[in-house]
Amino acid sequence: MIQYPSEIILEVTNACNLRCRYCHFHGEGVLKRRPTGWMNRTVWEKVLDEIRLWPQSLTLVTHGAGEPLLYPQLESLLTEAVHVPSAHTGFMTNGMLLGDEAIRLILDAGVKWLAFSVDGVQPDTHDHFRVNADLNRIEAQIHNLIAEKNRRGKDTPVLYFNMVGYPEILDQSRRYVEKWLPYAEQVTIATFRPAGSRKLWEETASFPFRPCPLLTRQLVIGTTGQVGLCCEDIFLDVPLGNVLENTLEEIFNDSQMLIRYRTAHEQGEIDSLPLCRDCHVWGADHVLNRECFRLEDRVVEETTTPAYHLFRKRPEQDNCSMGE
């Protein structure tokens, strides 16, 4: 039976305006093994033409190892993508380029969701870890987007916020949630991983191994159309094919490399897989704890996994055990 991915990542560019200290692609000491580039229109047009014909919905992500607001063709791409009925389209941004023109682009195009990568609430620490960033400017621009979205009476884009939980800023987590959850679908405090690390815990997990869900859910398309194994394959070390030579359906169902990796995961034998043997993402969403607390006049649910603490607003009447 033919299978389809439920998430496609289109890396429109891997260029970035920031140099975050622990970025897996642009960070300090990282040896880049592929060049900076920009996706040719031919690549994303071919992808959109194909997914229009698919019988199921999917999330379309238009970011990768770079900042999508740098991409000159972003408006054209988003305008076409949002008219693919099955595609739930959006992207993550660091917020530095979210000026008036970018806000207009996002709202006019009808982007369904927008995620902000913002590390904490204090400018000194934020701007230290996110080199070339200005937290005061970023926050002002996010509030401008929210105000314009409200002025237009729009429900979209739905907003998400992500903070990397560097040990030095973990004490800002509660204030971060308080600041952004009122405007967001969810707020995430992600587990810190040094550049190049795919580990989420130090010792052997106390829960059983399972095949990584990314292998049956996701396709990642680099700037040249090259398809990598998953979002952890930052340098496309495990090539599955190229969308200019094969259809996404062929790559997802027939790639011998992908079949090899899936089979190894199903058999629990990943030690021979260079990208997977030191990767914990297979257990990233294993729920370790779930509880609720009150934040001013709302109930907030906190879900803890090896990869993140995730915060969502909950209706008052929902069953949810209350923590401190």
Side-chain angles (χ1 to χ4, degrees):
M1 184 175 68
I2 295 174
Q3 301 292 320
Y4 300 91
S6 59
E7 179 181 71
I8 290 179
I9 297 177
L10 277 176
E11 183 187 60
V12 294
T13 182
N14 54 22
C16 193
N17 55 325
L18 302 187
R19 289 296 178 268
C20 299
R21 295 182 186 277
Y22 295 104
C23 175
H24 295 246
F25 194 86
H26 299 282
E28 295 177 348
V30 173
L31 178 62
K32 292 184 183 179
R33 299 196 301 277
R34 60 186 179 102
T36 301
W38 313 82
M39 183 172 283
N40 189 288
R41 184 186 185 109
T42 306
V43 175
W44 57 259
E45 283 187 335
K46 186 173 186 293
V47 171
L48 295 184
D49 287 343
E50 183 173 349
I51 65 177
R52 278 190 182 96
L53 305 176
W54 287 2
Q56 69 177 52
S57 60
L58 73 153
T59 298
L60 183 64
V61 179
T62 62
H63 70 256
E67 169 54 53
L69 288 174
L70 287 171
Y71 184 54
Q73 299 177 37
L74 185 63
E75 183 168 16
S76 297
L77 165 58
L78 293 175
T79 300
E80 291 197 31
V82 297
H83 289 102
V84 178
S86 60
H88 189 63
T89 302
F91 61 90
M92 177 176 280
T93 174
N94 58 48
M96 275 294 290
L97 301 178
L98 192 72
D100 292 343
E101 183 60 23
I103 291 172
R104 179 204 61 78
L105 181 161
I106 290 164
L107 295 176
D108 286 355
V111 172
K112 300 300 183 186
W113 59 272
L114 191 64
F116 291 101
S117 185
V118 179
D119 290 338
V121 297
Q122 295 179 193
D124 58 340
T125 52
H126 177 280
D127 299 351
H128 168 75
F129 286 111
R130 303 181 72 79
V131 179
N132 299 332
D134 181 339
L135 180 61
N136 290 325
R137 171 180 164 182
I138 291 168
E139 289 185 345
Q141 292 178 158
I142 292 173
H143 282 295
N144 288 343
L145 168 70
I146 293 168
E148 181 62 14
K149 174 183 164 183
N150 291 339
R151 189 188 72 78
R152 296 191 186 196
K154 294 177 68 72
D155 295 326
T156 56
V158 173
L159 303 183
Y160 300 84
F161 289 81
N162 183 78
M163 164 183 146
V164 177
Y166 302 115
E168 296 89 340
I169 65 171
L170 272 176
D171 61 346
Q172 299 177 36
S173 298
R174 184 66 174 250
R175 284 177 290 160
Y176 188 83
V177 175
E178 291 171 347
K179 176 183 283 285
W180 296 121
L181 190 58
Y183 309 105
E185 176 73 15
Q186 67 184 44
V187 171
T188 305
I189 311 298
T191 300
F192 167 60
R193 297 183 293 163
S197 172
R198 293 182 286 274
K199 294 184 177 181
L200 294 168
W201 54 79
E202 293 301 325
E203 304 297 332
T204 302
S206 59
F207 44 92
F209 175 81
R210 60 164 180 153
C212 184
L214 296 184
L215 299 179
T216 54
R217 188 182 78 202
Q218 188 183 79
L219 277 185
V220 178
I221 303 168
T223 54
T224 63
Q226 183 69 52
V227 180
L229 182 69
C230 65
C231 56
E232 294 296 319
D233 189 7
I234 192 86
F235 292 110
L236 305 183
D237 292 322
V238 187
L240 305 182
N242 193 295
V243 300
L244 297 178
E245 301 169 2
N246 307 98
T247 67
L248 295 174
E249 180 184 304
E250 289 170 341
I251 293 171
F252 196 65
N253 289 275
D254 302 328
S255 164
Q256 292 304 300
M257 183 69 76
L258 184 52
I259 291 171
R260 175 196 165 199
Y261 270 72
R262 286 173 177 164
T263 300
H265 274 253
E266 289 165 3
Q267 296 173 348
E269 299 174 353
I270 65 172
D271 288 346
S272 64
L273 307 177
L275 193 68
C276 300
R277 62 188 174 210
D278 62 350
C279 182
H280 292 160
V281 173
W282 60 265
D285 59 357
H286 181 84
V287 176
L288 302 173
N289 187 49
R290 181 177 283 126
E291 62 180 27
C292 290
F293 62 90
R294 188 166 293 279
L295 182 61
E296 296 181 350
D297 61 344
R298 59 175 56 92
V299 174
V300 176
E301 180 185 76
E302 177 182 2
T303 301
T304 303
T305 79
Y308 52 75
H309 291 261
L310 187 148
F311 300 85
R312 288 179 173 146
K313 293 169 285 206
R314 288 287 297 266
E316 186 81 35
Q317 67 272 18
D318 278 8
N319 292 325
C320 191
S321 60
M322 296 293 289
E324 294 299 325

